[in-house]
Amino acid sequence: MTTRKNQATLTAEEKRRFVDALIALKRSGRYDEFVTTHNAFILGDTDNGERTGHRSPSFLPWHRRFLLEFERALQSVDSTVALPYWDWTADRTARSSLWAPDFLGGTGRSRDGRVMDGPFAASTGNWPINVRIDGRTYLRRSLGSAVRQLPTRAEVDSVLAMSTYDMAPWNSASDGFRNHLEGWRGVNLHNRVHVWVGGQMGTGVSPNDPVFWLHHAFVDKLWADWQRLHPNSAYLPAAGTPNVVDLNETMKPWDDTTPAALLDHTPHYTFDAA
Amino acid sequence: MPDITRRHALGAAAALAVTVGAPLTAAAADGHRSHEEHGGHDGHQDLQAFDEVYRGRLIQGHATEGGGHHHGAGYAVFVDGAELHVMRNADGSWISVVSHYSPVPTPRAAARAAVDELQGARLVPFN
């Protein structure tokens, strides 16, 4: 059984195995397929049209399945690896061990945002940015420059307190838990973290930065936390909503799973702590 | 993934249209500045065309015919002639693929944010 752990608690051995599996996936070309898929949905999901991966109720189950696919790919390289999560309410500065050279490496240099240390620095030759929207082929970050503060635990708790999963019009204008967690409305959780990291993480090709997976693993954990807080609150909408993935409708690009099939994470993985 | 394939195909078509259309767009903007005063077809102030040099980059934007842009923005933005994928949010704010998680009020603001983020790099045609 896969146990997803807080990144801050990983041993040196666990960090090394996770990094090595990422680099192996990158070398094989499989990593970049995930970046391509994500960007296709970023470009295609619109507030007034079809929307699946983002700005819609299926933001959470879509990313749950996307991370499961990615985690299974990592485990095909090293079966001991699980996706760690980054609790950005706790590890909220560029001095966190997350950004140390033995894990993800640090922020970018001021001149061009280029990450200069760690396993994903361009100078290693192991991490070419191939799926990109501009000419730059090196990993970039600008931790804490576009927005100063990561969300606080109090802000997270204020969103977890929202008892309605999602609401019409089921997009970036919605009230309810999903859109406040996604961040288009209110205190802004998920979106703000992308902006805080900067570089490719602020763009449609955000999975180019390995921290994408740790960020989304924590967003996914917050969904599980919300379910435990609101056992009588269901995924919405239930049925018959144009352009939106209802509870029992299949999701692209897999077309073989529904939000209903992904509500319970425990058949696939558990977390290290509640 | 048939839908992604379709999106790719449409993206490639849009990229071709950009290659052909960008010089015409620039010429039209130069020759008919009064368009900027009239704004977009629906009269929204933020759908006005624009054409300026910002931090050394030519940025342009204009409403697209019939809102036929394949992702439904109804508006196209260019940086040095290469199309920047932009999207309008339900509340009227805008994002681009370069600055996807940080809405700004207008397409011009999205173009300027993209120039800030690009730090001189060229845009790759989206697909």
Side-chain angles (χ1 to χ4, degrees):
Chain A
M1 171 53 82
T2 298
T3 302
R4 293 190 181 173
K5 299 178 183 173
N6 187 321
Q7 60 78 27
T9 69
L10 296 186
T11 66
E13 167 83 357
E14 286 169 330
K15 290 180 186 180
R16 186 184 62 74
R17 283 178 170 270
F18 179 63
V19 165
D20 287 351
L22 286 167
I23 289 170
L25 275 196
K26 183 69 162 178
R27 188 172 293 123
S28 73
R30 293 173 72 191
Y31 191 97
D32 287 345
E33 294 173 15
F34 287 90
V35 186
T36 297
T37 296
H38 186 267
N39 194 44
F41 279 83
I42 281 280
L43 297 181
D45 296 323
T46 60
D47 276 335
N48 297 310
E50 190 175 307
R51 47 197 186 276
T52 301
H54 307 87
R55 57 180 68 231
S56 62
S58 47
F59 167 71
L60 290 170
W62 191 92
H63 281 84
R64 176 165 284 177
R65 172 63 183 257
F66 190 56
L67 263 64
L68 270 171
E69 295 282 331
F70 185 72
E71 188 171 54
R72 288 167 185 155
L74 288 174
Q75 290 172 343
S76 74
V77 175
D78 181 341
S79 62
T80 71
V81 169
L83 282 182
Y85 61 86
W86 169 33
D87 178 351
W88 23 255
T89 72
D91 296 300
R92 43 188 300 106
T93 76
R95 295 180 301 280
S96 162
S97 61
L98 174 66
W99 308 111
D102 69 337
F103 201 15
L104 299 192
T107 193
R109 65 182 179 188
S110 59
R111 176 158 64 84
D112 57 4
R114 187 185 306 237
V115 170
M116 300 299 290
D117 67 351
F120 310 103
S123 57
T124 63
N126 285 328
W127 206 255
I129 304 299
N130 302 312
V131 182
R132 58 186 189 269
I133 54 190
D134 60 63
R136 294 169 289 182
T137 58
Y138 48 88
L139 180 65
R140 292 178 296 113
R141 292 184 189 128
S142 190
L143 303 182
S145 71
V147 57
R148 289 276 167 229
Q149 299 291 334
L150 288 163
T152 64
R153 187 66 226 183
E155 287 170 329
V156 164
D157 288 341
S158 74
V159 171
L160 289 177
M162 297 175 178
S163 60
T164 303
Y165 177 76
D166 206 347
M167 297 167 74
W170 319 109
N171 63 18
S172 73
S174 291
D175 203 351
F177 169 69
R178 186 276 309 167
N179 196 38
H180 279 81
L181 175 56
E182 189 169 0
W184 299 111
R185 183 164 176 167
V187 297
N188 185 357
L189 302 181
H190 153 269
N191 281 357
R192 196 199 325 177
V193 176
H194 277 273
V195 175
W196 186 89
V197 174
Q200 281 89 2
M201 265 291 273
T203 75
V205 292
S206 45
N208 273 308
D209 191 328
V211 81
F212 173 92
W213 310 103
L214 284 74
H215 172 35
H216 271 278
F218 185 59
V219 171
D220 182 81
K221 181 176 185 296
L222 292 177
W223 184 23
D225 293 344
W226 177 86
Q227 288 173 309
R228 205 171 47 253
L229 285 167
H230 305 280
N232 299 317
S233 295
Y235 177 94
L236 295 169
T241 318
N243 291 323
V244 170
V245 182
D246 296 318
L247 177 64
N248 291 302
E249 284 187 327
T250 56
M251 280 191 302
K252 294 174 180 174
W254 309 288
D255 294 326
D256 65 353
T257 193
T258 63
L262 289 159
L263 296 179
D264 180 6
H265 64 85
T266 60
H268 309 291
Y269 53 89
T270 56
F271 293 103
D272 55 353
Chain B
M1 293 185 280
D3 193 56
I4 289 179
T5 305
R6 178 176 62 85
R7 284 172 175 147
H8 281 174
L10 290 167
L16 270 175
V18 169
T19 308
V20 176
L24 294 172
T25 303
D30 288 337
H32 303 281
R33 288 282 179 186
S34 59
H35 271 311
E36 293 197 30
E37 311 308 321
H38 294 309
H41 295 302
D42 64 357
H44 284 283
Q45 187 181 9
D46 60 3
L47 286 184
Q48 287 186 340
F50 65 89
D51 182 341
E52 67 178 25
V53 174
Y54 173 74
R55 297 183 69 183
R57 311 289 296 268
L58 175 63
I59 58 172
Q60 299 164 300
H62 60 80
T64 52
E65 286 301 319
H69 208 230
H70 73 274
H71 14 265
Y75 199 92
V77 171
F78 303 87
V79 177
D80 290 338
E83 187 168 8
L84 171 70
H85 185 283
V86 296
M87 186 179 292
R88 190 177 203 179
N89 293 321
D91 68 358
S93 63
W94 291 78
I95 54 172
S96 84
V97 71
V98 171
S99 187
H100 184 79
Y101 304 93
S102 189
V104 292
T106 63
R108 187 199 300 254
R112 288 178 171 179
V115 167
D116 292 343
E117 162 63 20
L118 286 167
Q119 296 185 286
R122 66 176 171 81
L123 281 174
V124 172
F126 56 85
N127 53 34

